[in-house]
Amino acid sequence: MKVAVCVKQIPDPADPGELNLETKTLKRDVKLILDESDSYGVEMALQLVGDDGEVVLISMVPNNERNGLNNALAMGADSAVLVSDEALAGSDALGTAKVLAAAIRRVEPDLVLAATESSDGYTGTVPEQIAELLELPSVTFAKEVNIDEGTVSVKRQTEEGYDEVSCPLPALVSVTAGVVEPRYPSFKGIMAAKSKPVEELTLSDLGIESSHVGWSGGGQEIVSIEPAPEREAGEVVEDEGEGHERILAFLEELKVI
């Protein structure tokens, strides 16, 4: 079985980062790391294939950055497809999905895994867009995934518990954080990652016109940015027997009750 895992390489969330004042977007010409959300998908894929399958990573990134990708390869993934092109700058969720779908189509996997959403975008729409472009069934919010005789069975997390969902392969499944415990790359894995194949592609390799992605393809513009407002100090109420009345008045002011 071959499993493709969409992995995103992002600026380190521990670093405040900088904005490109011209495009009003986050600068990505820095060392990138593997999005923690995607590490769950990588681990899930490794557990599903065991010793009898193949895990291929799919990543779209500026400047052919491979640091985060190398971490996923060190975890045990077999190979990777890396898409990088200057024309991709400014791509929206749909543009990203078009690129990833084209790269996945070349791999011809039995199963595609993705995170529910990235840690730097939070649109939560890319996996479903990929599934639609590839004409694959899509199961979201997976907390448990099993494969048996050409069928994927998923426990899909809900507010009240989980739904049991199954569909034929090939399919796309987006997994939730905490679905498994990602392994730490061993020294042997880190050394092995250096020799694993990474296919580097451009838009022309995928047959995608630059006008369909990037700023022109997204048809969007960020018109302004401003710092988030600082959190104001709360009100301290000393309860002298009438504290409950102050609470009720506060909730009524917020129109909660």
Side-chain angles (χ1 to χ4, degrees):
M1 184 174 72
K2 180 186 291 187
V3 179
V5 186
C6 297
V7 296
K8 190 172 185 181
Q9 302 177 81
I10 63 172
D12 191 341
D15 188 332
E18 296 182 28
L19 290 174
N20 184 316
L21 298 181
E22 180 180 352
T23 62
K24 302 179 181 63
T25 58
L26 187 65
K27 284 187 176 182
R28 297 182 181 274
D29 55 350
V30 295
K31 183 178 180 180
L32 305 179
I33 66 171
L34 176 66
D35 191 333
E36 183 181 1
S37 299
D38 291 320
S39 65
Y40 298 103
V42 175
E43 178 61 36
M44 174 60 72
L46 293 172
Q47 292 187 19
L48 287 173
V49 303
D51 298 325
D52 302 320
E54 180 182 358
V55 176
V56 182
L57 309 173
I58 309 293
S59 187
M60 172 180 135
V61 72
N63 305 320
N64 293 90
E65 174 66 39
R66 291 177 54 168
N67 181 65
L69 203 62
N70 287 338
N71 186 71
L73 290 169
M75 289 174 65
D78 299 283
S79 61
V81 176
L82 179 66
V83 183
S84 188
D85 197 301
E86 291 183 0
L88 290 172
S91 293
D92 62 0
L94 181 56
T96 300
K98 290 177 180 178
V99 172
L100 295 176
I104 292 169
R105 192 177 288 112
R106 292 167 60 97
V107 175
E108 298 183 341
D110 302 294
L111 176 68
V112 182
L113 294 178
T116 298
E117 56 189 1
S118 65
S119 300
D120 65 339
Y122 290 106
T123 67
T125 61
V126 172
E128 288 67 50
Q129 290 171 332
I130 294 174
E132 179 67 19
L133 291 166
L134 294 176
E135 299 182 340
L136 296 177
S138 173
V139 184
T140 59
F141 297 104
K143 59 178 292 185
E144 184 176 316
V145 182
N146 292 290
I147 305 293
D148 184 36
E149 297 183 354
T151 299
V152 56
S153 299
V154 174
K155 288 184 178 180
R156 183 180 183 276
Q157 185 173 329
T158 67
E159 292 182 355
E160 299 178 350
Y162 63 87
D163 295 330
E164 293 184 347
V165 182
S166 62
C167 64
L169 296 175
L172 186 148
V173 176
S174 52
V175 301
T176 61
V179 62
V180 286
E181 183 65 32
R183 69 193 67 185
Y184 287 100
S186 63
F187 178 74
K188 181 179 179 181
I190 293 172
M191 297 304 295
K194 297 179 180 180
S195 59
K196 291 182 177 179
V198 177
E199 184 180 15
E200 297 185 359
L201 303 174
T202 62
L203 287 177
S204 61
D205 295 324
L206 296 174
I208 298 176
E209 296 183 14
S210 59
S211 59
H212 294 171
V213 295
W215 290 111
S216 57
Q220 62 184 5
E221 179 185 1
I222 302 174
V223 296
S224 66
I225 53 175
E226 58 185 56
E230 295 184 4
R231 180 177 296 181
E232 298 179 357
E235 179 184 357
V236 178
V237 177
E238 294 184 6
D239 187 5
E240 297 180 355
E242 300 179 349
H244 64 286
E245 295 180 359
R246 296 290 298 274
I247 293 174
L248 288 173
F250 177 71
L251 294 177
E252 288 177 350
E253 184 181 346
L254 294 177
K255 297 182 180 181
V256 175
I257 59 175

